[in-house]
């Protein structure tokens, strides 16, 4: 059974069809990339999976169970954890405290001591252990993105939805983040869906890439095939 399955999912906002009849499935421990130009519907698709939005039609299944219209808290308890494209940390909380909140109120109700330990494990996995007591607001963008990742892990999430976690990072930071993601994927045994513009990132990591264009899935395949796909080249990389 697939960990995640989208069945003909659509989302309309007034006259805008942000997500248009999209279907795909991700097996447990799969690593899927999601690509598409700005406005293609990628973040909206995450909001449909994370329960922030209910689809206008279609269904989202987790381990074969429909989870639409249950809301984001229920989705978190079912093991869905997302990171946000625009990071908005609680600036005065430390890195460790931020992850603690996720560990206490995420998938499992942990007591304070257990949450502290799980949170520390999560921030270590994201490479932030040396910054554990630093205020979140003082972190560089790159480390704030890592904190998003740590927080998602700390919820106990088994399906991580990563929204442009590498956007705005320098090439070196991207390389470091790729190492972090690879380790987390293997060591934590999680399923990952990753929205990413940095093609290099997905080439190495993703089992499969889905491409959206104006809300429609125009391609799905192995990274190498996607990089050479005619429609993807035309709509996404530009004619040249
Ligand atoms: N809450 C909303 N209300 C109205 N329109 C929205 C909302 N969220 C997204 N949209 C529209 O849906 C489309 C897809 O947006 P989005 O999912 O953010 O794209 P992407 O993440 O691929 O850049 C855009 O046209 C955007 O303006
Ligand atoms: Mg987006």
């Amino acid at each position: 059974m697939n960990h995640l399955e989208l069945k003909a999912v659509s989302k309309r906002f007034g006259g805008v069809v942000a997500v248009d009849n999209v279907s795909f499935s991700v097996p447990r421990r799969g690593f899927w990339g999601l690509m598409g130009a700005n406005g293609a519907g990628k973040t909206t698709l995450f909001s449909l999976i994370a329960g922030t939005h209910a689809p206008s039609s279609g269904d989202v299944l987790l381990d074969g169970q429909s989870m639409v219209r249950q809301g984001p808290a229920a989705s978190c308890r079912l093991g869905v954890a997302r990171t946000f494209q625009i990071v908005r940390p609680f600036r005065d909380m430390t890195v460790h405290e931020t992850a603690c909140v996720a560990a206490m109120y995420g998938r499992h109700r942990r007591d304070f001591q257990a949450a502290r330990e799980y949170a520390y494990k999560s921030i270590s996995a994201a490479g932030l252990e040396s910054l554990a007591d630093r205020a979140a607001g003082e972190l560089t963008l790159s480390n704030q993105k890592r904190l998003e990742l740590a927080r998602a892990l700390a919820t106990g999430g088994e399906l991580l939805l990563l929204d442009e976690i590498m956007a705005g990072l320098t090439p070196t930071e991207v390389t470091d983040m790729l190492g972090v993601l690879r380790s987390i994927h293997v060591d934590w045994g999680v399923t990952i869906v990753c929205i990413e513009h940095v093609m290099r990132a997905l080439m190495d990591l993703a089992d499969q890439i889905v491409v959206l264009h104006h809300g429609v899935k125009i391609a799905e395949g192995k990274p190498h095939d996607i990089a050479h796909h005619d429609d993807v080249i035309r709509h996404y990389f530009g004619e040249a």
Side-chain angles (χ1 to χ4, degrees), residues 20-160:
D20 193 352
N21 202 30
V22 171
S23 302
F24 66 91
S25 301
V26 185
R28 213 161 246 284
R29 293 174 180 247
F31 197 124
W32 254 233
L34 185 58
M35 286 173 50
N38 279 334
K42 306 180 298 296
T43 297
T44 303
L45 193 68
F46 272 10
S47 297
L48 296 172
I49 301 170
T52 317
H53 295 316
S56 308
S57 58
D59 207 353
V60 179
L61 309 177
L62 265 188
D63 290 318
Q65 299 283 328
S66 173
M67 39 86 63
V68 298
R69 270 169 274 278
Q70 294 186 35
S75 154
C76 180
R77 280 193 296 277
L78 290 169
V80 180
R82 83 188 288 190
T83 69
F84 287 88
Q85 190 172 351
I86 295 159
V87 295
R88 281 190 297 188
F90 300 119
R91 304 189 65 84
D92 296 333
M93 284 174 73
T94 68
V95 165
H96 191 207
E97 286 164 351
T98 302
C100 273
V101 174
M104 289 181 79
Y105 301 104
R107 177 147 205 214
H108 309 286
R109 289 287 170 271
R110 292 188 166 86
D111 67 38
F112 187 56
Q113 192 51 38
R116 282 182 62 83
E117 283 164 23
Y118 200 76
Y120 195 78
K121 224 180 119 198
S122 307
I123 61 177
S124 300
L128 290 173
E129 66 272 43
S130 66
L131 299 171
D133 298 322
R134 204 61 80 72
E138 291 173 10
L139 301 180
T140 61
L141 174 69
S142 165
N143 286 328
Q144 288 188 354
K145 296 265 183 177
R146 285 175 185 235
L147 182 55
E148 283 286 300
L149 187 56
R151 182 162 62 174
L153 273 181
T155 64
E158 296 181 336
L159 170 61
L160 304 189

